[in-house]
Amino acid sequence: MDDRDWGELDGVAIRFPMVVEEMRSATLTFTVPIGPARALLPGDAFEVLEVAPDRAMLVIALCDYVRNPWGDYDEVNLGLLVHPVGHPELAGAFQWRMPVDQEFTCKAGNLVMGLPKTVEDLTFDYSAGPGEGTVTVRLVMSDEPAGSTTLLVRLPRPSVEGVEPAVESATTYSYLDGVPMSLGLDMQLPPVPVDPSEVEIELGRGALAEELRSLGLPATADLALWGEGLGATFQVPRSITERVEAGS
């Protein structure tokens, strides 16, 4: 674990590892055609991981950060499984879009980690408590035509009582000032499965909605998970060269 002070941003100290103390999160995975997935991947440092012949994996993570050094914000991660060119053993996620609802986390994500965060109209709505209601995530991107919603996801809110989340080490890839980067994290995965047939997905008419349509959405997810009271630890960003040399 690498302790490092990045400095200050808008008067807030940026320090790694950065520990998220509490969040709620849904994870949805989809097997999608690899051609359109490749078309969404910027730059030339990464390749889309082929999880089956001519197929890629789309991961949508819907995150409601409750206690986080960068704010109590909402976020939608839209990512593809990729690997650095020539190193398929180093698989990780590349988010080509990451809408959030607060300015500070957007600025910090852009400047510190190279993440493609943008501030958008994004809300999480809970109709009732755990085990009773639903969670509705509504995203309206700035280019969305008036009166339309870019992405709406609604899923049951199951109880997580008595279920212990597993901790998994993962990697997110990005470009920081044009340099391909590796962002390591240890996170508690959402532990409770949700029936994918009970997850509703609606798309609007803006650019992001069309990108998701190119991948075959709306569709039934392969896997849907929900968790509450989750934590995560983000490690200091490293260049891809550094990670490849380290072999991890």
Side-chain angles (χ1 to χ4, degrees), residues 79-94:
L80 299 163
L81 286 191
V82 305
H83 61 83
V85 171
H87 295 276
E89 74 281 6
L90 299 180
F94 188 100

Side-chain angles (χ1 to χ4, degrees), residues 132-201:
E132 300 176 358
T134 59
V135 183
T136 302
V137 181
R138 186 184 305 272
L139 169 65
V140 182
M141 299 290 285
S142 59
D143 71 334
E144 187 66 28
S148 180
T149 297
T150 306
L151 172 66
L152 185 142
V153 180
R154 182 178 291 110
L155 67 154
R157 185 184 184 184
S159 172
V160 299
E161 186 175 356
V163 183
E164 289 296 324
V167 178
E168 179 175 292
S169 295
T171 301
T172 292
Y173 291 115
S174 69
Y175 290 98
L176 180 59
D177 297 327
V179 178
M181 301 294 290
S182 170
L183 315 174
L185 67 151
D186 299 302
M187 62 185 303
Q188 292 181 317
L189 297 178
V192 181
V194 174
D195 184 344
S197 68
E198 295 186 41
V199 179
E200 302 172 35
I201 299 175

Side-chain angles (χ1 to χ4, degrees), residues 28-238:
L28 310 174
T29 67
F30 304 82
T31 305
V32 298
I34 199 166
R38 285 172 174 153
L40 295 173
L41 187 65
D44 58 8
F46 306 103
E47 294 181 8
V48 175
L49 183 68
E50 190 170 14
V51 298
D54 297 320
R55 307 296 285 177
M57 181 174 289
L58 166 68
V59 181
I60 299 179
L62 311 170
C63 304
D64 178 359
Y65 288 104
V66 180
R67 289 184 293 150
N68 182 330
W70 291 2
D72 56 346
Y73 61 93
D74 298 333
E75 180 177 275
V76 174
N77 293 320
L78 298 160
L80 299 163
L81 286 191
V82 305
H83 61 83
V85 171
H87 295 276
E89 74 281 6
L90 299 180
F94 188 100
Q95 278 81 28
W96 84 95
R97 288 188 186 265
M98 191 180 287
V100 297
D101 70 336
Q102 292 186 17
E103 291 283 352
F104 180 79
T105 184
C106 179
K107 188 173 182 179
N110 294 165
L111 297 180
V112 180
M113 298 174 126
L115 295 171
K117 293 189 178 185
T118 58
V119 179
E120 310 291 350
D121 182 357
L122 171 60
T123 59
F124 276 64
D125 179 68
Y126 300 91
S127 68
E132 300 176 358
T134 59
V135 183
T136 302
V137 181
R138 186 184 305 272
L139 169 65
V140 182
M141 299 290 285
S142 59
D143 71 334
E144 187 66 28
S148 180
T149 297
T150 306
L151 172 66
L152 185 142
V153 180
R154 182 178 291 110
L155 67 154
R157 185 184 184 184
S159 172
V160 299
E161 186 175 356
V163 183
E164 289 296 324
V167 178
E168 179 175 292
S169 295
T171 301
T172 292
Y173 291 115
S174 69
Y175 290 98
L176 180 59
D177 297 327
V179 178
M181 301 294 290
S182 170
L183 315 174
L185 67 151
D186 299 302
M187 62 185 303
Q188 292 181 317
L189 297 178
V192 181
V194 174
D195 184 344
S197 68
E198 295 186 41
V199 179
E200 302 172 35
I201 299 175
E202 299 176 11
L203 298 177
R205 292 174 285 162
L208 171 57
E210 293 306 318
E211 290 167 358
L212 292 173
R213 280 195 183 88
S214 77
L215 297 173
L217 271 66
T220 301
D222 299 324
L223 176 70
L225 301 170
W226 173 254
E228 303 193 29
L230 304 175
T233 300
F234 291 79
Q235 309 300 338
V236 66
R238 296 190 290 166

